[in-house]
Amino acid sequence: FKRGDADSSGEINITDGIYVLNFLFLGGPDPTCMDAADGNDDGATNITDGIYILNFLFLGGAEPPAPGPEACGVDPPPADELDCASYPAC
């Protein structure tokens, strides 16, 4: 997966930050890859992930941690409880 690509489109853009917030607060669809939606890799999907993604895109914030937003990869150790049931872009 690509970290930060919450909607599993293969690209990280504004829709990913909005996707996380929509999922959390408006009953939007679950991300198919919770690891991708965990933008800051803290092991949880919460408001900070949506903000982290938008901060990266528009305010020069830190890039999402490994595997990052550019290349597909796996979640590096340490392991967390999030999974990636499906990520069709890779």
Side-chain angles (χ1 to χ4, degrees):
F1 68 93
K2 294 180 182 179
R3 180 138 354 249
D5 183 18
D7 65 1
S8 299
S9 68
E11 296 180 28
I12 297 175
N13 52 44
I14 192 171
T15 61
D16 296 301
I18 293 169
Y19 194 95
V20 171
L21 299 174
N22 187 41
F23 159 67
L24 292 170
F25 300 108
L26 298 175
D30 292 359
T32 59
C33 182
M34 293 301 282
D35 271 320
D38 182 14
N40 61 1
D41 193 23
D42 67 354
T45 304
N46 51 44
I47 191 171
T48 59
D49 297 305
I51 293 168
Y52 191 97
I53 293 165
L54 296 172
N55 188 40
F56 163 66
L57 290 169
F58 299 107
L59 298 175
E63 182 174 283
E70 299 298 323
C72 294
V74 297
D75 196 16
D80 57 41
E81 294 185 20
L82 300 178
D83 66 353
C84 192
S86 173
Y87 189 82
C90 287

